[in-house]
Amino acid sequence: MTVEIVILAMIAAFLGLRLYSVLGRRAEHEEEPIAGRFEGPAGAPRGPAAQRGHEDKASANGATPPRIREMPRTTPLVERGLQEIVAADRRFDAFAFVDGAKTAYRLVLEAFWRGDREELRQLCDDEVYEGFAQAIDAREAAGEQLDNRLIRIEETQITGAQYEAPNARITVRFRSDIAAVTRDSEGTMIAGSLDDAIESIDVWTFVRDVRSPDPDWMLEETDEG
C-alpha cells in the first residue's frame, strides 16, 4: 500500500507540474500588451513623445505627418480638402470635428423644435438663423408646437471640405431617425407619431475662421439629402 501511495503521489505531482507549466505560459501570453489602433507593435514607444518622433521623422523624409493622414474614410477630393485645412490650422482634428458635428446637429435641431432663438443665434450664421427664426415665427402664428425627438444618428459622413483663406468649410451628411409630432396650442397632437420614427437625411455645411481663437464652427448652410 505504501508503494502504491508513493507512485500515485508521484503521478499527481507530475500532472500538477505539467498543468502549471501550460497555464503559466497561457497567462503570460494573455498579459502581453496588444497594440491599439494608432499604436505601433508591442514594445514600441508610445504616447505623445513617440507621436512627435514619428511626425518629425515623417517630416524629415518629406512625408505627410500621421496626424494629417489619419482622416475619416471619405473620397480623395474631400481628403485633400481636409489636409488643406490641417495645413492652415494645426489644431484641426477630423475625428474630433465629426464628433462635434454630431453634437451640433442635435443641439440645432432641438433648439429649433422648442423655438429657442437665443441658442440658434449662437450656433448658426445670420442667414441660417433667419431661416430658422422665420419658420419659428410661422409656427407660433399658427398656434403650433413641435414635440420632435432625435432617436438616433445612424450615419455621419464628411462629403465636402475646402479651405479658402481664412475660412475652412466642411459639409457633413447626417442620416438619422426622428420621431416627429405637431401639437396645437392646447397640446393636442394634430400630426405625426412618437412611436414611428422616420428617416431624415440632412446635409449641413459648417464654417470657421481659422485665425480666430474661438474653436467653434458655425452652421452656414442646411439642405436635405
Side-chain angles (χ1 to χ4, degrees):
M1 288 296 293
T2 302
V3 174
E4 292 178 356
I5 293 174
V6 171
I7 292 174
L8 291 174
M10 292 176 63
I11 293 173
F14 173 77
L15 293 176
L17 288 173
R18 289 287 295 172
L19 182 61
Y20 174 79
S21 66
V22 172
L23 291 176
R25 286 198 299 270
R26 176 64 175 172
E28 292 170 359
H29 173 72
E30 287 177 345
E31 291 174 0
E32 291 178 0
I34 300 175
R37 181 179 178 186
F38 298 117
E39 297 173 344
R46 300 178 183 178
Q51 178 68 14
R52 286 194 299 271
H54 291 317
E55 292 182 1
D56 293 342
K57 182 177 179 181
S59 298
N61 294 334
T64 302
R67 194 170 70 88
I68 297 179
R69 289 200 305 268
E70 293 168 5
M71 296 293 182
R73 182 177 299 176
T74 185
T75 65
L77 180 61
V78 172
E79 185 171 349
R80 284 197 298 272
L82 292 173
Q83 290 178 356
E84 291 175 359
I85 294 174
V86 171
D89 182 6
R90 302 299 297 181
R91 297 170 299 175
F92 176 75
D93 181 284
F95 290 102
F97 172 84
V98 171
D99 288 339
K102 292 179 183 178
T103 300
Y105 181 69
R106 179 181 294 274
L107 290 175
V108 170
L109 287 181
E110 292 179 347
F112 171 66
W113 293 337
R114 67 175 179 268
D116 190 337
R117 294 175 178 81
E118 183 176 350
E119 184 165 1
L120 288 172
R121 173 70 75 180
Q122 297 175 5
L123 297 169
C124 310
D125 73 358
D126 292 342
E127 185 175 348
V128 174
Y129 169 77
E130 287 301 326
F132 281 131
Q134 290 176 11
I136 293 173
D137 290 341
R139 192 171 70 216
E140 291 177 346
E144 297 175 351
Q145 52 186 320
L146 298 181
D147 186 16
N148 295 359
R149 313 285 172 84
L150 177 60
I151 306 302
R152 68 181 64 83
I153 300 176
E154 295 283 1
E155 182 182 17
T156 306
Q157 181 183 10
I158 295 178
T159 59
Q162 62 178 344
Y163 174 66
E164 295 178 349
N167 293 323
R169 285 182 175 83
I170 299 180
T171 300
V172 183
R173 180 181 184 271
F174 300 96
R175 183 169 62 87
S176 61
D177 292 333
I178 295 176
V181 167
T182 302
R183 300 183 185 276
D184 62 19
S185 58
E186 297 180 355
T188 302
M189 183 185 301
I190 57 177
S193 170
L194 289 177
D195 297 326
D196 298 321
I198 58 175
E199 182 179 81
S200 176
I201 297 179
D202 296 291
V203 181
W204 289 9
T205 299
F206 299 89
V207 64
R208 177 178 177 270
D209 183 343
V210 300
R211 301 170 305 179
S212 172
D214 186 351
D216 292 336
W217 294 68
M218 299 291 287
L219 178 59
E220 183 185 49
E221 185 179 349
T222 64
D223 199 358
E224 295 181 358

